[in-house]
Amino acid sequence: MTEVSVTKDALPATDDLVVLKNVNKHFGALHVLQDIDLTIARGEVVVVIGPSGSGKSTLCRAINRLESIESGSITIDGKPLPEEGKALARLRADVGMVFQSFNLFAHKTVLENVMLGQLKVRKADKKEAEEKARGLLDRVGVSAQADKYPAQLSGGQQQRVAIARALAMGPKVMLFDEPTSALDPEMINEVLEVMQQLARDGMTMVVVTHEMGFARSAANRVVFMADGRIVEEAVPDQFFSNPRSDRAKDFLSKIL
Ligand code: ADP
Ligand code: MG
């Protein structure tokens, strides 16, 4: 196996933000994460692709400690993931996560959704939280929807609110797990554009997606997973034009 990570090497080694070392996890007999080594530099955009069931979601969830791991280590900005309590809540605020299903609070308005974490976890002042929330809603293009409830918004709008809500916590890294997979086709681009802009603004991002156009244009590195392993990593051009492993060749032949 040859690993290529041009972008990472171009950045100072001390600027590693997310570091997974030899991470392993089982679900019963299924070895869902196998010896995962992955380092994400500050400002880097890593797109994770691979067949369904290969462990991509579990990987994201482990980075946010929604799943525990059995061995190995995960650090965020040099600190190991806390087990529980307030430290874990703070970690979750540092690691923003956007899911396929938008997971907004149905009985809170859009504005309240984006303010809530700031008030509860960051202990922000209410006025400041509101100002920040309105600014972020503007940034993702849904400021006119601030006083509506999630169900009154389109899927694309809801997902952009979910992004704003994660950003409101001032995360160091954003994890996106198939953020456009549940959307009608005409809404995919409005979400990808927000993500593109975030990438251009320098946010560190891990993005699980089947949107290969996004991977090509926004990713510094593509990580290909299969059967719980990282099979291949490369810059997008190299990965798409010259995949090395048979697994990646097979996968690309099916989706491109
Ligand atoms: P991907 O996101 O790449 O499709 P997942 O990480 O969701 O893959 O799942 C990897 C494998 O682990 C799948 O076979 C899935 O069925 C299994 N799995 C995921 N979550 C659980 C769970 N909570 N309990 C048991 N098996 C699980
Ligand atoms: Mg998944």
Side-chain angles (χ1 to χ4, degrees):
M1 187 181 84
T2 314
E3 289 190 14
V4 184
S5 53
V6 172
T7 312
K8 190 182 79 181
D9 292 342
L11 294 166
T14 51
D15 229 11
D16 293 339
L17 184 58
V18 181
V19 180
L20 289 85
K21 282 193 186 141
N22 204 22
V23 168
N24 283 279
K25 181 177 180 71
H26 290 77
F27 286 122
L30 178 71
H31 198 170
V32 62
L33 297 178
Q34 301 190 38
D35 303 325
I36 299 286
D37 283 309
L38 180 65
T39 298
I40 297 156
R42 207 180 299 274
E44 193 178 17
V45 177
V46 172
V47 164
V48 180
I49 67 173
S52 176
S54 56
K56 306 179 301 294
S57 292
T58 306
L59 177 75
C60 283
R61 293 168 60 81
I63 294 173
N64 204 11
R65 211 173 182 307
L66 291 167
E67 295 284 358
S68 59
I69 58 172
E70 287 148 15
S71 65
S73 67
I74 302 178
T75 57
I76 308 287
D77 218 358
K79 293 194 238 29
L81 299 195
E83 294 287 319
E84 56 193 5
K86 284 193 176 136
L88 182 56
R90 274 196 299 275
L91 165 96
R92 296 237 170 91
D94 281 345
V95 183
M97 182 132 182
V98 175
F99 302 87
Q100 180 176 329
S101 54
F102 327 122
N103 290 5
L104 297 174
F105 297 109
H107 302 293
K108 305 236 175 255
T109 66
V110 162
L111 184 68
E112 286 165 349
N113 264 278
V114 182
M115 288 175 63
L116 203 64
Q118 300 183 70
L119 299 175
K120 293 228 157 147
V121 179
R122 295 295 196 202
K123 306 287 176 212
D125 166 82
K126 198 166 175 204
K127 192 158 162 275
E128 276 170 30
E130 179 173 341
E131 253 169 51
K132 185 165 186 184
R134 288 194 187 279
L136 285 166
L137 289 173
D138 190 40
R139 184 167 160 196
V140 302
V142 291
S143 51
Q145 324 297 328
D147 299 319
K148 293 186 181 162
Y149 287 87
Q152 296 173 285
L153 272 58
S154 72
Q157 288 172 328
Q158 288 185 59
Q159 192 60 303
R160 285 182 283 145
V161 173
I163 294 171
R165 183 176 61 172
L167 290 175
M169 305 299 276
K172 292 177 177 168
V173 52
M174 288 279 286
L175 310 177
F176 293 86
D177 189 2
E178 299 201 26
T180 60
S181 296
L183 297 177
D184 291 334
E186 73 272 21
M187 292 170 191
I188 290 176
N189 276 338
E190 66 193 42
V191 173
L192 292 179
E193 274 163 25
V194 167
M195 292 167 61
Q196 287 271 12
Q197 188 56 51
L198 206 53
R200 280 195 291 269
D201 291 346
M203 177 60 76
T204 309
M205 295 164 62
V206 178
V207 183
V208 179
T209 185
H210 300 297
E211 294 295 329
M212 295 303 131
F214 176 85
R216 275 179 186 277
S217 61
N220 299 114
R221 184 158 45 124
V222 173
V223 168
F224 175 72
M225 280 185 81
D227 299 330
R229 292 183 182 279
I230 294 179
V231 174
E232 190 164 339
E233 305 183 46
V235 294
D237 268 356
Q238 189 174 1
F239 180 78
F240 290 113
S241 61
N242 190 20
R244 289 152 197 271
S245 62
D246 290 340
R247 289 302 300 264
K249 282 177 194 163
D250 181 55
F251 177 76
L252 289 174
S253 75
K254 286 177 181 147
I255 59 160
L256 293 181

